[in-house]
Amino acid sequence: MAPFFILLSTLVTFLILQPASSLDAKPSSSPLQNFLQCLSNHSNSAFNNIYTPNNNAFLTILNTQTHNHRFTAATAPKPFAILVARDESHVQGTILCAKLHGIQIRIRSGGHDTEGLSYISDVPFLILDMFAFDSVLVDIGTQTAWVQSGATLGAVYYNIAKHSNLHGFPAGVCPTVGAGGHFSGGGYGNLMRKHGLSVDNIIDAKLVDVNGRILDRKSMGEDLFWAIRGGGGGSFGVILSWQIRLVPVTPKVTVFRVKRDIQNGATDVVYKWQVISSKLHEDLFVRAMFEVVNRTNSKTVEVTFVGMFLGQTEPLIRLLNQSFPELGLVHSDCNEMPWINSTLYWFNSPIGTPIEALVNAPRGPTPGYFKTMSDYVKQPIPKESLESIWNLMIKVEHVKMEWNPYGGKMYEIPPTQTPFPHRSGNLFLIEYLTSWGEDGIDATNVYLNISRSFYEYMTPYVSHSPREAFLNYRDLNIGANNPSNVTRMDIAQIYGRKYFRDNLERLVYVKSKVDPENFFRHEQSIPPLLH
């Protein structure tokens, strides 16, 4: 990727050729000065949180919101400015002035974008950072909440719990994920079999469109409201906030972890999990996690079954003894706790950790490098194939998997209700995680090749025509527009079909209507027609 000075030079050349506006500074001013002058004319309050590479806090602000060390390297593309929005007019002004000057923007809420598309680009760009938009306003009377896009999932859970121990919200397990990107991409978690995805429980939103207008569900219309609930907000505008519908949870839930390894019958348990996990009672969610561990003089694949039951221990054990006795769940495996405490349990926090940890969790940067990919499985993988997969995992060592079960509410919602199409017919979702600690481009290429090779090995066992993928596990390997300042329809069809299946056509229709000039774009954005 080009060093920053090349990107900045390109930007300067490009902007000098643009016509000056009467709102801008003199044509002889720098591109950044022109942009900032324009911004001051379009913002209702002072924009004092603008960071450039000359600012001592620039790298701190950039990297604190970067959760993958792949994108903190010195060679990673850097923005010519980071704008931390603290007022709606800051967002409006950024859009209008960036559009006026032909500047690409990247929109960042939590920074967990697995390919960094919310904070890197292959053309000159600026970052509009929404992390200061972080309020969560809960109304238990209406069983709703307004969540700003920079609020973390931990803050969402914490603020709900401060008002009620009988309400929750279906979303992910990592508390530092930002609501803006998580919700707009779908948002799944351990309540999805009972209550569906985050997007299935969103009832309103506030968005700034390409013309700087602030729209809610009524003023944006049902097509755009449909598109941003699973189609990725970064293609259509800047999400300011979401109104979510809270869901009921029991006063106590039961959580458990059961570990097995392949030397001690794990393959049989995993095979049965494939058959039964999507058929279990919708109050029960059991994830299967796979990693290579060292034993005495050997390596093996350890499988961790981590689960949550909306209820107490006794009915859970009766249920599993009847439908999934191979797991061998016993009382000592189980812990009962309020739902809010279970969110910390899923994040591997020690039992008894104060719930304030949900809002105090460090945002980054993470010390290691990683690459994620995803798959959907529609038929159980045969036992002999499972054994081959274990052997490959032991050989490459650095690949982990999480298998997340479907069924319940996920089978009841039509695939066209939101852009997220992966509903009935799927047994489970796979997340692949390849991680490493070595620095340098050579090491990165080695591990990226390992990730790709493992993904290719799984081809016979997963969905096909298309091979489906989950938008929130962003993966440039399945197709990308490079450079990102042009969104080609033929390339977008490749990744778009995998993320959205037949919903892609409607997303293109919406994009063509609300952003026909394709201002909001990135390597995997939705194209308008004629682009």
Side-chain angles (χ1 to χ4, degrees):
M1 295 183 178
F4 169 74
F5 70 87
I6 296 178
L7 294 176
L8 185 57
S9 175
T10 304
L11 174 69
V12 171
T13 303
F14 178 76
L15 290 183
I16 286 175
L17 297 176
Q18 303 305 303
S21 165
S22 60
L23 294 174
D24 294 340
K26 296 178 181 180
S28 59
S29 300
S30 73
L32 179 59
Q33 288 174 325
N34 289 342
F35 174 81
L36 295 180
Q37 179 61 49
C38 175
L39 191 63
S40 69
N41 293 334
H42 283 81
S43 299
N44 294 333
S45 64
F47 208 149
N48 298 319
N49 298 282
I50 301 173
Y51 303 88
T52 70
N54 293 326
N55 189 297
N56 290 335
F58 177 79
L59 288 178
T60 299
I61 296 295
L62 179 64
N63 293 337
T64 296
Q65 296 293 104
T66 301
H67 290 271
N68 188 343
H69 204 45
R70 286 169 58 198
F71 309 121
T72 61
T75 54
K78 305 296 189 294
F80 71 87
I82 305 170
L83 292 80
V84 179
R86 296 187 180 274
D87 183 84
E88 292 177 345
S89 67
H90 296 164
V91 179
Q92 294 172 291
T94 299
I95 293 172
L96 292 172
C97 295
K99 185 172 68 168
L100 179 66
H101 289 287
I103 300 170
Q104 187 173 106
I105 69 171
R106 294 296 165 108
I107 309 154
R108 183 170 70 169
S109 56
H112 280 262
D113 189 321
T114 54
E115 291 284 21
L117 301 191
S118 62
Y119 50 83
I120 65 170
S121 177
D122 53 10
V123 299
F125 71 108
L126 63 83
I127 292 175
L128 176 60
D129 203 312
M130 300 296 292
F131 79 88
F133 268 65
D134 61 355
S135 72
V136 180
L137 302 177
V138 177
D139 184 343
I140 287 299
T142 60
Q143 300 183 76
T144 63
W146 275 100
V147 178
Q148 289 190 316
S149 62
T152 62
L153 300 186
V156 173
Y157 302 151
Y158 177 82
N159 281 278
I160 294 172
K162 296 297 285 185
H163 289 80
S164 169
N165 67 348
L166 297 178
H167 293 84
F169 188 71
V173 303
C174 182
T176 58
V177 169
H182 185 71
F183 292 176
S184 68
Y188 86 92
N190 51 33
L191 285 174
M192 72 179 190
R193 302 189 66 248
K194 179 69 173 182
H195 296 294
L197 306 175
S198 299
V199 292
D200 301 324
N201 296 277
I202 290 174
I203 56 179
D204 204 345
K206 289 179 68 177
L207 168 145
V208 183
D209 75 356
V210 71
N211 297 311
R213 300 175 300 174
I214 297 176
L215 307 174
D216 61 8
R217 178 175 182 172
K218 182 178 180 180
S219 55
M220 77 175 70
E222 289 302 305
D223 279 338
L224 181 52
F225 183 64
W226 175 86
I228 61 176
R229 291 177 297 134
S235 291
F236 302 99
V238 178
I239 307 295
L240 297 175
S241 56
W242 305 95
Q243 188 182 30
I244 63 175
R245 178 177 54 242
L246 308 184
V247 301
V249 294
T250 50
K252 290 287 183 70
V253 303
T254 303
V255 293
F256 62 86
R257 285 191 183 92
V258 175
K259 295 182 181 291
R260 300 285 185 266
D261 62 53
I262 58 174
Q263 274 78 19
N264 295 289
T267 301
D268 291 336
V269 184
V270 170
Y271 183 81
K272 180 63 178 289
W273 178 94
Q274 294 183 96
V275 174
I276 198 65
S277 61
S278 62
K279 300 175 183 177
L280 293 170
H281 194 284
E282 63 181 12
D283 287 346
L284 177 58
F285 180 92
V286 184
R287 169 184 286 177
M289 304 169 64
F290 306 81
E291 66 176 325
V292 176
V293 297
N294 290 309
R295 295 284 188 256
T296 304
N297 300 321
S298 67
K299 296 174 181 176
T300 187
V301 174
E302 182 178 77
V303 187
T304 302
F305 298 92
V306 55
M308 183 178 74
F309 177 65
L310 294 170
Q312 296 181 310
T313 302
E314 288 298 336
L316 168 63
I317 289 180
R318 287 197 300 269
L319 189 159
L320 285 179
N321 283 343
Q322 179 180 4
S323 57
F324 193 13
E326 292 85 353
L327 185 61
L329 186 72
V330 295
H331 283 78
S332 59
D333 297 320
C334 302
N335 288 280
E336 294 180 4
M337 59 186 65
W339 174 79
I340 186 63
N341 298 89
S342 77
T343 65
L344 286 163
Y345 180 89
W346 278 86
F347 192 56
N348 293 320
S349 299
I351 292 175
T353 299
I355 64 172
E356 285 72 22
L358 290 168
V359 290
N360 296 327
R363 285 198 170 197
T366 43
Y369 303 81
F370 67 87
K371 164 72 177 176
T372 60
M373 306 182 81
S374 62
D375 262 321
Y376 287 88
V377 176
K378 299 179 184 294
Q379 299 291 333
I381 301 172
K383 290 183 181 180
E384 59 271 21
S385 299
L386 291 175
E387 297 285 0
S388 298
I389 294 169
W390 311 151
N391 290 335
L392 181 58
M393 288 187 70
I394 291 170
K395 179 179 178 181
V396 302
E397 291 191 56
H398 292 268
V399 177
K400 300 178 182 179
M401 292 189 290
E402 289 185 358
W403 294 7
N404 297 279
Y406 262 50
K409 190 73 171 180
M410 293 298 290
Y411 284 175
E412 299 172 10
I413 298 173
T416 56
Q417 183 163 305
T418 69
F420 180 94
H422 317 290
R423 304 287 187 171
S424 181
N426 293 293
L427 295 179
F428 54 95
L429 161 68
I430 298 179
E431 178 195 7
Y432 307 101
L433 176 64
T434 304
S435 58
W436 62 98
E438 298 95 322
D439 295 327
I441 189 64
D442 291 339
T444 293
N445 287 335
V446 167
Y447 290 104
L448 291 180
N449 284 333
I450 288 174
S451 177
R452 283 190 290 267
S453 297
F454 194 91
Y455 179 80
E456 288 304 314
Y457 186 85
M458 294 294 291
T459 301
Y461 314 118
V462 299
S463 61
H464 56 86
S465 302
R467 184 171 182 174
E468 299 174 39
F470 178 37
L471 181 63
N472 276 357
Y473 291 146
R474 181 85 69 185
D475 176 16
L476 293 181
N477 288 357
I478 68 172
N481 279 285
N482 292 301
S484 60
N485 58 341
V486 177
T487 310
R488 288 176 48 186
M489 181 67 74
D490 57 335
I491 296 175
Q493 289 276 350
I494 297 171
Y495 59 77
R497 292 290 177 193
K498 296 175 181 180
Y499 288 139
F500 309 114
R501 293 181 58 93
D502 294 340
N503 291 332
L504 179 62
E505 280 83 1
R506 186 176 176 186
L507 288 168
V508 170
Y509 165 78
V510 176
K511 174 72 171 182
S512 303
K513 185 167 65 170
V514 303
D515 185 19
E517 298 303 316
N518 200 30
F519 172 72
F520 293 109
R521 62 186 183 269
H522 52 73
E523 286 83 346
Q524 288 190 335
S525 57
I526 303 297
L529 293 170
L530 305 180
H531 275 261

